[in-house]
């Protein structure tokens, strides 16, 4: 198993070698702006028009994210459909939402084709030349939001903006989402050393740990699943996002052996608990968090809290997820899985601060 080298987190050569990954994280806010700019013409035509669908179905990428935001406030039933096709009851009175990227996605193509065949209302967020766009080309009244990239979050923001204008979802304020993502990029920039960078601090906490990620609200729980995906990829370690009832037993750990020599006999990795707090004021959420923190303290399990209590629902989700993805990137860098000094292009600038993406 790879050992974690914390010096890599502030080493310019190692960080430069992972530039492709850190650059993509830094450009998240720009992708949201580009997505909404490209969809501006389509969004200008979206209104209620006196029609309210009987139900809304979301299919394809991040359908569950759309459900997590809409379900508490949507005035009609909402369903996230994970499989191919559509449920048998879906028809012309229903609105089908399909989010898809440039890659082949048979389930999304199947859902779009079936929605067109049944005469359902259709909203598609995908690149204009994607398989889903081609599958829905015959639908004359479809709302088409032209995606600019494979960024699932940016596509979801555009869809949520359209649903808000149809009075089916909450306020989005995409500019605030983009600005908050920019703030996370500045806060978690590789230019900031370990002492002032919360993402590097989280990576240090997880350096020798098995990640457990908990979010109390529906949205924070969704963000936890996205963060865990990034942590698994970065570390090649098991990682778990679950509710408190499933995490509490995992926190049962034997006491640390303070006198053990890690070089003579490496100890097994212990859990590290990450709490995603989106500011939801709910007694049940607060009680679950209290139990997790108390048990972690009793069993000497390290805890790292990421808090984002300001902004709209999608903005808070975006910020929490992005903090976790930055931490995963630094974890991978520290473990030597992302970037290495030998990968660096000697013809490029040695100072990351000269690059506007850093």
């Amino acid at each position: 198993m790879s050992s974690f080298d914390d010096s890599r987190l502030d080493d310019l050569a190692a960080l430069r070698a992972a530039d492709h990954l850190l650059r993509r994280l830094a450009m998240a806010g720009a992708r949201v702006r580009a997505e909404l700019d490209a969809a501006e013409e389509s969004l200008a035509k979206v209104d209620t028009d006196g029609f309210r669908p009987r139900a809304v179905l979301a299919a394809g990428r991040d359908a569950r994210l759309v459900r997590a935001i809409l379900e508490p406030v949507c005035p009609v039933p909402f369903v996230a459909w994970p499989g191919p096709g559509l449920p048998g009851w879906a028809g012309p009175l229903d609105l089908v939402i399909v989010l898809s990227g440039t890659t082949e996605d048979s389930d999304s193509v199947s859902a779009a084709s079936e929605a067109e065949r049944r005469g359902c209302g259709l909203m598609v967020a995908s690149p204009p030349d994607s398989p889903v766009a081609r599958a829905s080309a015959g639908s004359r009244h479809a709302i088409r939001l032209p995606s600019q990239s494979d960024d699932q979050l940016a596509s979801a923001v555009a869809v949520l903006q359209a649903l808000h204008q149809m009075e089916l979802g909450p306020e989005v304020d995409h500019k605030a989402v983009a600005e908050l993502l920019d703030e996370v990029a500045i806060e978690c920039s590789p230019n900031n050393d370990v002492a002032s960078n919360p993402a590097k601090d989280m990576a240090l906490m997880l350096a020798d740990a098995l990640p457990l990620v908990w979010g109390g609200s529906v949205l924070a729980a969704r963000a936890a699943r996205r963060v865990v995906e990034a942590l698994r990829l970065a570390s090649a370690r098991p990682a778990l996002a679950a509710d408190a009832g499933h995490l509490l037993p995992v926190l049962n750990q034997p006491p640390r052996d303070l006198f053990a020599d890690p070089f003579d006999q490496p100890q097994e990795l212990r859990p590290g608990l990450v709490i995603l707090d989106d500011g939801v004021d709910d007694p049940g959420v607060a009680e679950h968090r209290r139990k997790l923190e108390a048990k972690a303290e009793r069993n000497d399990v390290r805890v790292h809290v990421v808090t984002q209590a300001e902004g709209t629902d999608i903005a808070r989700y975006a910020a929490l997820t992005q903090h976790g993805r930055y931490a995963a990137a630094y974890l991978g860098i520290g473990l030597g899985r992302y970037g290495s000094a030998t990968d660096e292009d000697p013809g490029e600038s040695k100072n990351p601060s000269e690059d506007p993406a850093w």
Side-chain angles (χ1 to χ4, degrees):
M1 183 174 292
S2 301
S3 59
F4 187 89
D5 181 358
D6 59 356
S7 68
R8 292 174 59 85
L9 300 186
D10 290 330
D11 180 80
L12 295 185
L15 294 171
R16 171 60 71 182
D19 174 73
H20 60 289
L21 176 61
L22 296 170
R23 181 186 295 271
R24 178 169 175 80
L25 290 170
M27 297 299 289
R31 289 193 295 274
V32 170
R33 293 186 184 91
E35 194 82 0
L36 272 293
D37 287 346
E40 184 175 6
E41 184 177 345
S42 298
L43 289 172
K45 302 173 184 177
V46 174
D47 55 36
T48 59
D49 196 26
F51 169 73
R52 173 170 289 179
R54 176 181 62 177
V56 178
L57 296 91
R61 307 184 315 166
D62 258 347
R64 290 183 175 86
L65 168 59
V66 178
R67 180 182 67 183
I69 293 176
L70 252 69
E71 208 166 35
V73 297
C74 187
V76 300
F78 188 98
V79 176
W81 188 253
L86 296 174
W89 51 264
L93 297 179
D94 305 307
L95 173 65
V96 176
I97 303 167
V98 182
L99 293 87
S100 181
T102 56
T103 55
E104 184 69 38
D105 182 349
S106 59
D107 287 351
S108 295
V109 171
S110 173
S113 300
E114 190 68 10
E116 180 188 354
R117 187 183 71 81
R118 298 192 199 181
C120 301
L122 186 59
M123 180 186 298
V124 175
S126 68
D129 59 348
S130 68
V132 165
R134 293 192 294 270
S136 62
S139 180
R140 292 181 296 173
H141 304 292
I143 300 170
R144 293 184 174 83
L145 304 174
S147 296
Q148 301 303 293
S149 70
D150 265 338
D151 189 324
Q152 297 170 259
L153 175 63
S155 297
V157 172
V159 166
L160 291 167
Q161 177 62 40
L163 292 170
H164 173 65
Q165 292 177 205
M166 296 173 69
E167 299 181 359
L168 294 172
E171 180 184 0
V172 176
D173 192 357
H174 75 275
K175 293 181 180 179
V177 176
E179 289 172 1
L180 197 52
L181 287 170
D182 289 344
E183 291 175 11
V184 173
I186 293 171
E187 190 176 13
C188 299
S189 165
N191 284 335
N192 299 335
D193 61 21
V194 171
S196 59
N197 190 318
K200 291 182 180 180
D201 183 51
M202 178 173 158
L204 279 175
M205 190 276 282
L206 295 174
D208 58 352
L210 297 175
L212 306 178
V213 186
W214 177 79
S217 72
V218 174
L219 265 182
R222 189 69 197 158
R225 286 171 173 80
R226 287 297 184 219
V227 170
V228 154
E229 290 171 4
L231 291 171
R232 287 177 188 147
L233 185 63
S235 65
R237 297 172 182 169
L240 177 63
D243 59 30
H246 288 93
L247 293 180
L248 284 169
V250 188
L251 294 176
N252 289 323
Q253 295 293 313
R256 294 179 188 270
D257 184 357
L258 300 179
F259 302 101
D261 185 346
F263 299 99
D264 179 52
Q265 188 176 5
Q267 295 185 357
E268 293 185 3
L269 297 179
R270 297 170 64 87
L273 177 62
V274 176
I275 293 176
L276 302 183
D277 178 7
D278 64 349
V280 169
D281 185 14
D282 179 88
V285 171
E287 177 63 15
H288 287 153
R289 176 172 173 174
R290 186 194 65 76
K291 290 180 178 178
L292 286 168
E293 290 179 322
K295 192 159 193 178
E297 182 178 3
R298 287 197 303 271
N299 292 280
D300 196 17
V301 172
R302 298 189 184 100
V303 179
H304 182 93
V305 179
V306 182
T307 302
Q308 182 59 55
E310 303 297 328
T312 60
D313 290 347
I314 186 63
R316 300 196 310 276
Y317 165 88
L320 290 174
T321 304
Q322 200 70 353
H323 269 284
R325 285 173 172 163
Y326 263 106
Y330 291 128
L331 179 62
I333 291 170
L335 290 171
R337 291 176 55 81
Y338 293 156
S340 66
T342 57
D343 295 333
E344 185 180 17
D345 183 348
E348 292 188 350
S349 166
K350 305 299 182 184
N351 184 0
S353 63
E354 295 174 11
D355 190 328
W358 284 63

